[in-house]
């Protein structure tokens, strides 16, 4: 690369939980620069998670973090051309990419749910992911299965 690498800008922690991870999630959730609406959706979703959690002693934020951890992939397949053929090569994922993939999957599959509001959709997906079920968790397991199936090509690493 010719130019220097861009510096990572520090994120301000969110006002309610004082957590940078929440701000990062809200930034992914935000549409058209409407950050206050994204925060409202997130906080409403956590209130709904708090109502649905049942008899567990965890807070809604801890349940959300568990859901995020459960959805995080550890390996992914990357295409590489070797001798005229394309191979899917399993590669470990960097820590920051793991987090961003998990967030994007949670948001994507929340949007695809059939519920009334986005807060309800997000709450249901978070609860499902914390129980190791739901579409976002399925995406992670599919990614891992794909990497496992292509383990034979791992010697073609970059």
């Amino acid at each position: 690369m010719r130019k220097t690498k861009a510096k990572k800008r520090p994120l301000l922690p969110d006002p309610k939980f004082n957590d940078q991870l929440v701000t990062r999630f809200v930034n992914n959730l935000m549409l058209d620069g409407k950050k206050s609406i994204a925060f409202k959706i997130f906080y409403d979703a956590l209130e709904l998670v708090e109502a649905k959690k049942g008899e567990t002693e965890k807070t809604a934020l801890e349940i959300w973090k568990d859901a995020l951890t459960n959805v995080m992939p550890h390996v992914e397949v990357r295409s590489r051309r070797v001798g005229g053929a394309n191979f899917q090569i399993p590669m470990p994922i960097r820590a920051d990419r793991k987090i961003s993939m998990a967030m994007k999957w949670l948001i994507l599959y929340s949007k695809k749910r059939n519920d009334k509001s986005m807060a309800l959709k997000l709450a249901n997906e978070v609860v499902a992911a914390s129980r190791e079920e739901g579409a976002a968790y399925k995406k992670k397991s599919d990614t891992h299965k794909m990497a496992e199936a292509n383990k034979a090509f791992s010697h073609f690493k970059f």
Side-chain angles (χ1 to χ4, degrees):
M1 292 192 309
R2 289 170 182 253
K3 296 204 173 198
T4 57
K5 211 166 192 172
K7 290 187 181 82
K8 285 284 250 184
R9 291 190 187 132
L11 279 176
L12 293 173
D14 76 298
K16 191 171 182 181
F17 298 110
N18 204 28
D19 193 350
Q20 287 182 332
L21 202 61
V22 171
T23 305
R24 193 168 163 187
F25 188 83
V26 168
N27 286 346
N28 279 313
L29 184 62
M30 176 173 52
L31 292 176
D32 298 328
K34 309 266 186 184
K35 196 170 202 167
S36 58
I37 292 173
F39 267 119
K40 182 160 176 27
I41 289 170
F42 181 76
Y43 292 145
D44 289 348
L46 284 192
E47 284 176 17
L48 291 166
V49 167
E50 190 75 41
K52 289 179 187 208
K53 72 178 181 177
E55 64 275 347
T56 59
E57 60 273 349
K58 289 184 177 179
T59 64
L61 188 67
E62 288 171 339
I63 291 172
W64 172 75
K65 284 187 177 181
D66 285 347
L68 209 57
T69 306
N70 288 344
V71 173
M72 261 184 234
H74 301 293
V75 288
E76 68 178 341
V77 290
R78 292 211 146 151
S79 290
R80 181 167 158 90
R81 193 164 171 83
V82 179
N86 285 323
F87 292 104
Q88 298 285 317
I89 301 167
M91 304 282 280
I93 305 176
R94 295 186 326 271
D96 59 330
R97 182 162 161 76
K98 279 183 194 180
I99 295 167
S100 64
M101 286 175 83
M103 287 179 178
K104 286 173 185 172
W105 289 347
L106 264 178
I107 293 165
L108 174 75
Y109 292 109
S110 296
K111 286 179 182 174
K112 289 185 177 180
R113 287 181 86 96
N114 291 326
D115 290 317
K116 292 251 186 232
S117 67
M118 184 57 198
L120 187 59
K121 291 177 184 183
L122 183 60
N124 287 336
E125 192 62 37
V126 164
V127 169
S130 67
R131 292 188 191 138
E132 297 187 349
E133 50 196 39
Y137 185 79
K138 187 179 183 316
K139 174 73 172 172
K140 175 215 172 181
S141 59
D142 289 348
T143 305
H144 279 227
K145 281 179 193 166
M146 183 77 121
E148 184 67 31
N150 290 297
K151 199 163 58 171
F153 305 122
S154 61
H155 63 283
F156 287 129
K157 280 202 167 98
F158 296 84

